[in-house]
Amino acid sequence: MLFWGGSYVAARIVAREVEPFSAAFLRFLTASFFMTAFLIQSRGKLPSLDLKQILLVISLGLTGVFAFNFFFFAGLRLITASRASLIMATCPAFIALVSASVLGERLSLLQIFGISISITGVAVVVSRGNPLLILHGNVGWGELYFLGCVACWTAYSLIGKTAMKNLSPLSAVTYASISGSVCLFFPALGEGIVYDMAHYSAVTWLCILYAGLFGSALGYIWYYDGIKVIGPSRAGVFLNIVPIVSILLAFFLLDETVDGSLAVGAVLTIGGVYLTNRPG
């Protein structure tokens, strides 16, 4: 959770200097290298895929890597890491809501209440304390980009449920990372990444390495290892720590302030997600 929380701060620094597709490509090129190494170490080789699995991991790469990370880095050029992490914290609530609507999964009254509270929280964050602005379309592009992130991650998670019926989590995430990196390469070329790379600062390169290794590769692997040990329900509760870590790190490292809308939104969002994921 510390790694994922820190990735918002690292990405915010990268986004100041690197174009969105280029930043996303370098992050997941790094992540793909380490994930492939971890997968070969654990399995002895790269597992083969059939046609259906290939289509699934490409879908994972397009939603969870390509589109998600374009929105992620484009959004972080416009809004703070703290606000971004709180919008993303609603992902479990939206996943539960879409799962109920599309897959027919049943929701308890407590989960419905939690989803409602969480969505209210993100409305406060997105509108900067005035949810009525949403009705008039007065929402910033940065917030809209991160709502796109939520949509992409929801799709990625639902596709992942199907993909991981026959693939291990590490295999699915590794192949998704590779396919997403391939898709990101071409628009990154269009942004001029070959020329621009020579001019990135040392801090930017360190943040790219952090986002790729710790915020992506090790973050995913250790999270799934945690699921194996304590189960998905208990592991999911720890996701509530991510925005708290992001807000604290952004406060100390980026001098981001915590205003009233952010504080109220944090309480509502994190509390709602906790109720949504609460076992039983």
Side-chain angles (χ1 to χ4, degrees):
M1 299 308 106
L2 177 62
F3 289 161
W4 280 348
S7 67
Y8 286 89
V9 175
R12 172 75 167 162
I13 295 171
V14 173
R16 294 172 177 174
E17 189 174 357
V18 185
E19 295 294 326
F21 282 119
S22 300
F25 170 70
L26 291 172
R27 175 186 182 178
F28 276 88
L29 180 66
T30 305
S32 297
F33 173 80
F34 286 107
M35 287 181 181
T36 301
F38 293 145
L39 182 58
I40 292 175
Q41 182 183 34
S42 64
R43 297 287 298 271
K45 63 177 182 178
L46 290 175
S48 59
L49 303 177
D50 58 32
L51 179 59
K52 180 180 178 181
Q53 290 171 328
I54 291 173
L55 293 176
L56 284 171
V57 296
I58 290 175
S59 298
L60 290 173
L62 288 173
T63 54
V65 177
F66 180 83
F68 174 88
N69 280 275
F70 168 74
F71 289 137
F72 186 79
F73 283 102
L76 281 171
R77 304 184 92 178
L78 302 172
I79 64 174
T80 62
S82 304
R83 200 167 295 277
S85 66
L86 280 176
I87 296 173
M88 283 303 301
T90 59
C91 281
F94 278 101
I95 291 169
L97 184 61
V98 174
S99 295
S101 302
V102 177
L103 303 180
E105 295 184 5
R106 298 185 63 181
L107 295 175
S108 67
L109 290 176
L110 185 62
Q111 286 178 307
I112 293 172
F113 179 68
I115 290 171
S116 302
I117 294 297
S118 184
I119 292 175
T120 301
V122 79
V124 172
V125 173
V126 166
S127 64
R128 298 176 185 264
N130 188 1
L132 291 177
L133 291 178
I134 297 175
L135 300 177
H136 297 92
N138 295 327
V139 178
W141 276 104
E143 286 82 4
L144 289 174
Y145 280 135
F146 268 91
L147 290 176
C149 282
V150 172
C152 289
W153 194 257
T154 300
Y156 172 83
S157 299
L158 295 178
I159 296 169
K161 287 185 178 182
T162 301
M164 284 185 277
K165 289 179 180 178
N166 298 308
L167 278 175
S168 69
L170 178 57
S171 298
V173 171
T174 299
Y175 281 122
S177 181
I178 293 171
S179 65
S181 298
V182 172
C183 294
L184 286 166
F185 174 69
F186 299 100
L189 277 180
E191 289 177 340
I193 187 174
V194 175
Y195 171 79
D196 292 341
M197 284 173 61
H199 303 281
Y200 297 158
S201 66
V203 172
T204 294
W205 279 113
L206 285 174
C207 288
I208 290 172
L209 178 62
Y210 175 92
L213 174 57
F214 296 101
S216 298
L218 286 177
Y220 283 112
I221 291 167
W222 287 359
Y223 178 65
Y224 284 121
D225 284 344
I227 287 177
K228 290 180 182 178
V229 176
I230 65 175
S233 297
R234 291 177 62 193
V237 173
F238 283 93
L239 292 173
N240 297 329
I241 299 173
V242 173
I244 297 173
V245 171
S246 296
I247 291 170
L248 290 175
L249 290 177
F251 177 80
F252 288 109
L253 299 179
L254 301 179
D255 294 324
E256 292 184 3
T257 58
V258 180
D259 58 23
S261 67
L262 200 65
V264 172
V267 172
L268 292 172
T269 300
I270 296 171
V273 170
Y274 171 76
L275 293 176
T276 303
N277 285 342
R278 185 179 177 183

